[in-house]
């Protein structure tokens, strides 16, 4: 199921309350365009906060995937 919607800012203006409800579904977002070009993304606060937290973790631990792989190897090898 595609939860990405692309609409103009003008259309979004008339549907703002519906869009606010729609984005409460996990992984649903709207890309709003101006003159056919992407300008703004609308998503739920919950999803935005999750993304923000993920970005902070990635900044604090830039090699997290490698660290996890090393820990997995160490656990498997005893």
């Amino acid at each position: 199921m595609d939860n990405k919607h692309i609409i103009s800012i003008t259309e979004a203006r008339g549907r703002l309350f519906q869009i606010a409800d729609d984005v409460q579904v996990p992984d649903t977002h709207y890309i709003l365009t101006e003159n056919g070009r992407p300008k703004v993304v609308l998503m739920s606060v919950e999803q935005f906060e999750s993304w923000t937290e993920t970005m902070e973790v990635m900044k604090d631990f830039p090699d997290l995937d490698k660290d996890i792989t090393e820990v997995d190897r160490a656990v498997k090898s005893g």
Side-chain angles (χ1 to χ4, degrees):
M1 180 174 175
D2 187 11
N3 291 330
K4 176 175 85 171
H5 308 277
I6 302 173
I7 62 173
S8 69
I9 291 174
T10 302
E11 181 180 350
R13 185 180 304 139
R15 296 177 44 200
L16 189 57
F17 290 101
Q18 176 197 346
I19 292 169
D21 287 339
D22 289 351
V23 297
Q24 301 311 306
V25 174
D27 299 322
T28 299
H29 64 277
Y30 279 74
I31 297 173
L32 307 186
T33 62
E34 182 177 61
N35 298 321
R37 295 188 175 138
K39 179 127 184 180
V40 175
V41 174
L42 293 178
M43 66 177 69
S44 71
V45 169
E46 183 179 345
Q47 186 169 2
F48 174 76
E49 289 174 347
S50 174
W51 282 30
T52 302
E53 184 177 325
T54 299
M55 296 301 289
E56 289 172 5
V57 168
M58 290 175 67
K59 196 178 347 175
D60 291 341
F61 302 97
D63 297 323
L64 184 59
D65 58 335
K66 292 176 187 172
D67 295 341
I68 290 171
T69 300
E70 287 178 22
V71 168
D72 282 345
R73 261 192 235 127
V75 168
K76 288 177 184 175
S77 67

